[in-house]
Amino acid sequence: MGKIIAIANQKGGVGKTTTSVNLAASLGVLEKKVLLIDADPQANASSGLGIDVENVAIGTYQILEHSNTPKEAIISCSAPNVSVIPAHIDLVAIEIELVDKENREYMLKQALESVKDEYDYILIDCAPSLGLLTLNALTAADSVVIPIQCEYFALEGLGKLLNTIKSVQKIHNANLDIEGLLLTMFDSRLRLSNQVVEEVQKHFSDMVFKTIIQRNVKLSEAPSFGESIINFDATSRGATNYLSLAQEIIKKNSN
């Protein structure tokens, strides 16, 4: 049975999409069957894997509307063993359209029932907000990975996200776990980066992944070529970091 992991943080620019794309690709290279769901209207996870988002006919929007099944939306991409349910700018409208629907927080969960058993991991790249889209992802997920940037305002907003997770656990999804906090954009030369790592590890000890994603030029370049870091430059530090994260998650979930 597939494990559904949401990658969420309402702050933008913390490495959510980079993590979604490259964790999916790394799990794929490690011979896990992966489905990546792009639940962000910006559709960066889709374009980051070489999908032409302008021509997406069926994607996350239709899945949430229940007008199409996930099977009809799934497409293959440049990463081995990875399939994608892409996003489209239309997804912006879904929050308004779902507002009056009954069980609106459960639309994604219900849709994924039909494909859950066909994958080892289903990753959901969330939008940078705590709206209905992210709520659907957290309600559908078994666990959540929270990327945290090693920068000055790193912990700002984290309390809000953890409170949201608590209320989702209370109301919609009692089984939602925190898979881990992932430190991203780490620069060992900066004292601030090292302070953030210490601070997060001190406050959240066991919840923090051992793997830290370092700042890496190749990581920023890969999306413009429509490739994951694994395809773009498998020897780069970014690729090594994400493979290490994938191994950590596999190990954690095989116990």
Side-chain angles (χ1 to χ4, degrees), residues 232-245:
F232 184 63
D233 185 349
T235 60
S236 66
R237 184 182 279 174
T240 313
N241 289 166
Y242 276 108
L243 279 166
S244 160
L245 175 66

Side-chain angles (χ1 to χ4, degrees), residues 2-100:
K3 176 156 198 183
I4 302 178
I5 302 176
I7 293 147
N9 189 332
Q10 77 274 25
K11 271 173 77 98
V14 295
K16 257 193 317 289
T17 300
T18 303
T19 296
S20 302
V21 166
N22 294 310
L23 176 57
S26 300
L27 288 165
V29 166
L30 296 170
E31 301 190 338
K32 297 294 177 190
K33 199 174 174 204
V34 183
L35 175 62
L36 174 62
I37 299 169
D38 193 345
D40 181 351
Q42 294 171 64
N44 292 338
S46 307
S47 58
L49 284 170
I51 292 161
D52 176 6
V53 293
E54 294 302 317
N55 291 318
V56 167
I58 304 170
T60 314
Y61 176 82
Q62 285 77 11
I63 303 309
L64 283 159
E65 281 274 52
H66 288 186
S67 55
N68 289 88
T69 66
K71 281 204 171 92
E72 292 170 316
I74 290 169
I75 52 180
S76 56
C77 67
S78 55
N81 294 324
V82 179
S83 302
V84 181
I85 292 182
H88 186 274
I89 193 67
D90 284 358
L91 198 52
V92 168
I94 200 76
E95 308 241 336
I96 298 156
E97 289 176 28
L98 289 183
V99 156
D100 303 329

